[in-house]
Amino acid sequence: MSNSSHQTGPASGTASSSTSQSSPTSPSTPTGTGSTRSTKTRRLNELGLLAAIALLYIVLGSTASGFLSLDNQLGMLRDAATIGIAAWGVTLVIIAGEIDISIGPAVAFSSVLVAKGVGAWGLGTWGGILATLALGVAWGALAGWLVARFTVPSFIATLGLWSVLGGLGLYITDALPVALPDNATFRLLGGSILGIPTSAVVMLVLFAVFAYVARYTAYGRSVYATGGNAAAARLAGIDTGRIKVILFATTGLLAAITGILLAARLGSGNGGAAAGLEFDVIAAVVIGGTLLAGGRGSLLGTLLGVAFITVIANGLVLLGVDSFFQNVVRGVIIVGAVLVNVAISRRERAVRTV
């Protein structure tokens, strides 16, 4: 009955058609003044980040010994990959109006799973890797299902996952590192390709894939529509529940990939690794201009946010700043980014109501 009522009558048919045509295409095809302002805001944010990163390079290059060395730059690429791979998925999650705070423990648990799978559980190298990836998809999909099916707030669903995965990672290892076998596969994953860290290559390949998906596919447009106005997206025929399950399954997969690469780099799985990674990931996404309220964001902005976070963290280490105070700096950056984010969100809402 509800379907026929929407189809009969020119007014309702026109409204439905308009919604279905405008909502999904909004991220890539500006259709009005509000979209134009949003695009300008995003570009200004990206240009500002580029300028900030360039300034950091100038300052740190002249004050921090070894900052511009090749070894340090390659080390920063490895550090950026640890943040960036997961950040691509979290960007889409936040664009859809949700959040995932389980990244740190998920990465740590994945490193433990691959080490245990390859060694103690006898799955072999590729068996352990594939099992870890599959489990990452499974726990991510579970979180997404809780959000979509039972309307559990994503913060609560992923907070529970954060606790479960963190506890399991420490429990099954007795809080001790689990050695990873030394073989060609893990040497490659933890090493480099043509002089570039393998993890950085993976990060950049995944960036290209996610940037394409977000901008040029129906799925990507559905993600933006879900975050911009979920009710309108449902009226346009978008299965927002399915979108959310896929999004969280994707972040689970990306966390598993990061965990495998981290284990290969360190030579072991560790339930205590990647502590606080979720904060760096969310900070990079928000600094990159993705609205916490959903509906707006870009993978390029997140890439620049990852670079910004990585450069600052590396510079603080080289300058000999106390590790505890580094957390203070990180907290200030996150709060500042959120304040700017909220201000932009309010401004855009005010423009829409004019």
Side-chain angles (χ1 to χ4, degrees):
M1 291 295 292
S2 61
N3 289 337
S4 61
S5 65
H6 282 300
Q7 292 171 358
T8 58
S12 61
T14 303
S16 177
S17 174
S18 175
T19 302
S20 64
Q21 291 175 5
S22 62
S23 295
T25 59
S26 59
S28 58
T29 309
T31 57
T33 305
S35 297
T36 303
R37 288 178 181 270
S38 177
T39 301
K40 288 181 178 179
T41 300
R42 187 184 73 244
R43 288 176 179 171
L44 283 174
N45 182 77
E46 292 166 356
L47 288 173
L49 276 174
L50 275 173
I53 292 168
L55 180 61
L56 283 172
Y57 260 83
I58 293 171
V59 172
L60 293 173
S62 59
T63 59
S65 177
F67 176 77
L68 296 177
S69 68
L70 178 60
D71 286 343
N72 187 61
Q73 296 302 305
L74 292 176
M76 282 202 295
L77 278 176
R78 292 189 182 92
D79 293 339
T82 302
I83 301 172
I85 292 173
W88 309 152
V90 173
T91 298
L92 296 185
V93 167
I94 295 180
I95 287 173
E98 306 295 343
I99 197 164
D100 189 340
I101 64 169
S102 67
I103 299 300
V107 169
F109 186 54
S110 296
S111 75
V112 169
L113 282 178
V114 71
K116 284 281 191 180
V118 174
W121 298 339
L123 299 179
T125 298
W126 286 105
I129 290 173
L130 291 176
T132 301
L133 295 177
L135 287 170
V137 172
W139 71 59
L142 174 61
W145 179 70
L146 291 173
V147 172
R149 178 66 179 83
F150 299 102
T151 62
V152 176
S154 54
F155 179 86
I156 299 300
T158 55
L159 177 62
L161 195 60
W162 180 94
S163 182
V164 169
L165 297 180
L168 283 174
L170 295 172
Y171 174 73
I172 67 177
T173 62
D174 292 326
L176 297 173
V178 180
L180 202 64
D182 182 17
N183 60 38
T185 300
F186 289 118
R187 281 197 298 271
L188 174 62
L189 293 177
S192 59
I193 299 174
L194 300 177
I196 301 174
T198 302
S199 57
V201 174
V202 173
M203 174 187 71
L204 294 174
V205 170
L206 289 174
F207 168 77
V209 170
F210 275 76
Y212 177 84
V213 168
R215 187 168 179 82
Y216 296 110
T217 68
Y219 171 74
R221 291 190 290 271
S222 296
V223 170
Y224 279 89
T226 299
N229 189 327
R234 285 190 291 271
L235 288 174
I238 296 173
D239 187 344
T240 58
R242 178 172 170 271
I243 292 294
K244 291 176 183 180
V245 171
I246 294 174
L247 284 172
F248 283 97
T250 302
T251 60
L253 174 63
L254 294 176
I257 292 173
T258 304
I260 292 168
L261 292 170
L262 184 62
R265 174 183 172 184
L266 299 177
S268 64
N270 192 327
L277 178 61
E278 60 275 10
F279 299 115
D280 286 336
V281 169
I282 293 172
V285 174
V286 174
I287 288 171
T290 299
L291 287 184
L292 285 171
R296 185 175 75 82
S298 74
L299 271 297
L300 177 58
T302 298
L303 176 63
L304 294 173
V306 169
F308 182 78
I309 289 288
T310 304
V311 170
I312 285 183
N314 182 264
L316 292 175
V317 171
L318 293 180
L319 291 173
V321 176
D322 184 88
S323 60
F324 297 114
F325 190 74
Q326 290 178 32
N327 290 331
V328 175
V329 174
R330 178 188 301 164
V332 170
I333 290 172
I334 292 174
V335 172
V338 169
L339 288 175
V340 172
N341 196 290
V342 170
I344 292 173
S345 180
R346 287 179 176 175
R347 179 181 175 186
E348 290 194 351
R349 280 199 298 268
V351 169
R352 290 171 188 165
T353 58
V354 172

